[in-house]
Amino acid sequence: MPQLEHLKIFEVTKTNMSVMDNVATDLFDAPVKQSLLSAFLAEPTHWLIVAVLDKRVIGKCTAMVHRRPDKEDELYLDEIDVIPEFRRQGIAKKILDHVLKLADERDCEECWLGTENDNIAARKLYESNGAKAEEFLLYYLEY
């Protein structure tokens, strides 16, 4: 098994997006499409943070800055994931720490996210960073 001391965590940008040519199969819901990746990265408020080990992307976080006319910027953390063979080794925590550092550097007032009630690993991760769960209703609008 590769040594985690060689793990690199960084933001994917237009200049280093070739790192996405070697993504672990189980990381995204579907294969990464270059056209969609380019469109995502073209938006300065869209962030893609990756964990790379031995030139292979094994973890990721997608996030978006939520801007409004009446409040300071907030970061919406869409998804953090690590491939199954590397879970519970602190990689997601390192990714989250990196994302929160970027949010602070870029003047985001707070970060918000959601997860399923039964996703205990995610809940522990977020709570270990001081997050407090709130009750709310989630609706999906189909159109």
Side-chain angles (χ1 to χ4, degrees), residues 24-38:
T25 324
D26 298 342
L27 188 57
F28 285 85
D29 296 333
V32 174
K33 295 179 182 176
Q34 288 301 313
S35 61
L36 297 177
L37 175 62
S38 293

Side-chain angles (χ1 to χ4, degrees), residues 61-64 76-80 112-114 126:
C61 174
T62 52
M64 286 139 256
Y76 166 63
L77 200 152
D78 183 48
E79 203 169 43
I80 293 181
W112 59 279
L113 53 97
Y126 305 139

Side-chain angles (χ1 to χ4, degrees), residues 1 14 25 30 39 41 53 72 80 88 90 95 102 107 114 124 128 138 141:
M1 181 175 288
K14 291 179 201 176
T25 324
L41 296 177
L53 189 62
E72 297 300 318
I80 293 181
R88 292 182 174 75
I95 293 170
L102 286 177
D107 296 323
K124 284 183 179 181
S128 75
L138 175 66
L141 299 175

Side-chain angles (χ1 to χ4, degrees), residues 47 65 72-74 101-110:
W47 303 353
V65 177
E72 297 300 318
D73 291 350
E74 298 175 331
K101 182 176 183 251
L102 286 177
D104 188 46
E105 291 171 358
R106 297 174 187 178
D107 296 323
C108 291
E109 186 175 272
E110 62 185 4

Side-chain angles (χ1 to χ4, degrees), residues 64-75:
M64 286 139 256
V65 177
H66 186 192
R67 293 199 165 140
R68 293 170 293 186
D70 63 332
K71 296 181 182 179
E72 297 300 318
D73 291 350
E74 298 175 331
L75 186 66

